[in-house]
């Protein structure tokens, strides 16, 4: 049986995530997932791709906001702001968010040594995923592209074996947190998720919108913020399709409001031959 063995959300984009036992699936993603983001003055997102120290920040949801802890800085509680939203951008997609205020901006700017602003997603219905892979009423938070990311432990074990057999063997094994998934599943063969097109987790159905093309963020150690070469080097040798490298699949929920929990059965409702590679 394929089952959900891990559930994780990331309150602030690119910062540390936290495991949860259960979560409500909203149209834009798990409740509380990627509802905050750092931006520059022009609204462009700031992530750990360029500022790896962000992975060392641990945001904890509080009753009315966030509590932030990070290296060399005092903890900071940030209330949910209620001002006017300002323009923001995730990759090439326009969105917006409400500024969290000067205290949060100063905290993150000191951590990164670079002026940044923290914003809050006041309206999760504001942004649509890539129209080429979504329906008109689909929505997404500040995640890179889609509401949820799913990864398989069997695929990670297969990838670790490839890394261990290559020139960067000392970097294996890699923790699943390198890939920042929301949902982790076990019980399926390695890379089986490449062929999935519709699945059910507990009572919630999802479309598999496309595979997840990976970037240099996966090379950042989530515990130290130190960059290595893996898994990108090994993925480039073994998981390259259409000029990109792939690990995990992106999900769009069809049952917003449903709750999923660790231990739920994962049922594959529609699939193709995974040898074709992930949908892309």
């Amino acid at each position: 049986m394929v089952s959900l063995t891990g559930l994780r959300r990331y309150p602030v984009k690119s910062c540390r995530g936290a495991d949860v036992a259960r979560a409500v699936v909203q149209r834009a993603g798990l409740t509380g997932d990627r509802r905050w983001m750092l931006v520059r003055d022009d609204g462009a997102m700031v992530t750990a791709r360029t500022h790896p120290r962000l992975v060392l920040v641990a945001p904890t949801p509080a009753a009315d906001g966030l509590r932030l802890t990070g290296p060399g800085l005092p903890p900071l509680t940030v209330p949910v702001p209620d001002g006017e939203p300002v323009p923001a951008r995730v990759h090439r997609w326009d969105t917006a968010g409400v500024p969290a205020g000067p205290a949060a901006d100063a905290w993150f700017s000191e951590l990164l040594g670079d002026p940044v602003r923290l914003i809050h997603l006041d309206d999760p219905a504001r942004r649509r995923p890539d129209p080429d892979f979504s329906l008109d009423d689909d929505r997404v938070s500040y995640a890179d592209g889609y509401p949820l990311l799913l990864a398989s432990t069997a695929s990670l074990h297969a990838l670790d074996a490839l890394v261990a057999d290559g020139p960067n063997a000392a970097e294996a094994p890699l923790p699943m947190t390198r890939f920042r998934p929301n949902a982790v599943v076990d019980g399926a063969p390695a890379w089986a998720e490449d062929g999935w097109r519709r699945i059910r987790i507990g009572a919630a159905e999802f479309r598999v919108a496309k595979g997840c093309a990976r970037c240099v963020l996966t090379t950042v150690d989530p515990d130290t913020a130190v960059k290595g070469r893996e898994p990108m080097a090994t993925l480039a040798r073994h998981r390259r399709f259409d000029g990109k490298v792939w690990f995990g699949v992106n999900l769009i929920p069809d049952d917003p409001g449903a709750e999923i929990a660790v231990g739920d059965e994962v049922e594959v409702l529609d699939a193709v031959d995974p040898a074709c590679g992930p949908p892309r």
Side-chain angles (χ1 to χ4, degrees):
M1 183 183 80
V2 184
S3 62
L4 183 69
T5 56
L7 198 54
R8 194 170 180 86
R9 61 187 176 195
Y10 304 82
V12 182
K13 184 176 180 68
S14 267
C15 293
R16 190 163 290 178
D19 292 323
V20 294
R22 58 185 62 248
V24 173
V25 180
Q26 298 180 327
R27 191 166 295 282
L30 299 182
T31 299
D33 184 62
R34 294 173 173 94
R35 297 304 199 263
W36 304 75
M37 178 173 71
L38 292 162
V39 297
R40 299 191 180 280
D41 284 341
D42 64 358
M45 68 179 187
V46 174
T47 74
R49 295 172 178 86
T50 56
H51 295 75
R53 281 173 62 82
L54 280 176
V55 302
L56 304 178
V57 175
T60 304
D64 59 349
L66 281 178
R67 178 176 169 81
L68 301 169
T69 59
L73 291 171
L76 178 70
T77 297
V78 182
V80 173
D82 60 0
E84 290 297 315
V86 297
R89 193 167 62 256
V90 177
H91 296 295
R92 68 183 189 275
W93 307 107
D94 290 333
T95 183
V98 178
D105 296 349
W107 194 92
F108 275 106
S109 297
E110 182 175 349
L111 176 87
L112 301 181
D114 200 12
V116 295
R117 304 174 70 192
L118 181 67
I119 61 173
H120 176 255
L121 183 60
D122 59 318
D123 181 8
R126 182 173 282 120
R127 178 176 160 232
R128 180 184 170 182
D130 187 337
D132 290 340
F133 299 94
S134 65
L135 303 178
D136 288 347
D137 60 349
D138 292 333
R139 292 296 181 265
V140 63
S141 63
Y142 289 143
D144 275 356
Y146 298 90
L148 283 86
L149 173 64
L150 177 147
S152 157
T153 55
S155 298
L156 178 59
H157 294 332
L159 177 60
D160 279 336
L162 293 171
V163 175
D165 196 40
N168 306 308
E171 294 190 39
L174 300 168
M176 185 63 85
T177 47
R178 285 286 185 110
F179 301 93
R180 302 178 70 83
N182 297 110
V184 178
V185 300
D186 197 11
W191 315 121
E193 66 275 15
D194 284 352
W196 297 349
R197 295 298 180 266
R198 289 187 65 85
I199 65 171
R200 180 185 293 115
I201 302 175
E205 289 192 19
F206 300 86
R207 280 166 279 142
V208 180
K210 65 185 296 292
C212 186
R214 309 314 306 223
C215 69
V216 295
L217 181 53
T218 58
T219 66
V220 177
D221 186 314
D223 295 320
T224 66
V226 173
K227 284 188 175 182
R229 290 183 54 80
E230 297 296 349
M232 295 297 287
T234 296
L235 289 174
R237 291 196 302 274
H238 299 279
R239 295 278 298 170
R240 182 182 288 275
F241 309 101
D242 296 346
K244 300 177 182 179
V245 299
W246 305 80
F247 185 91
V249 292
N250 291 294
L251 305 181
I252 296 178
D254 281 332
D255 291 306
E259 184 179 75
I260 59 176
V262 172
D264 280 349
E265 180 179 357
V266 178
E267 181 182 359
V268 179
L269 303 175
D270 184 29
V272 300
D273 186 350
C276 298
R280 54 195 188 274

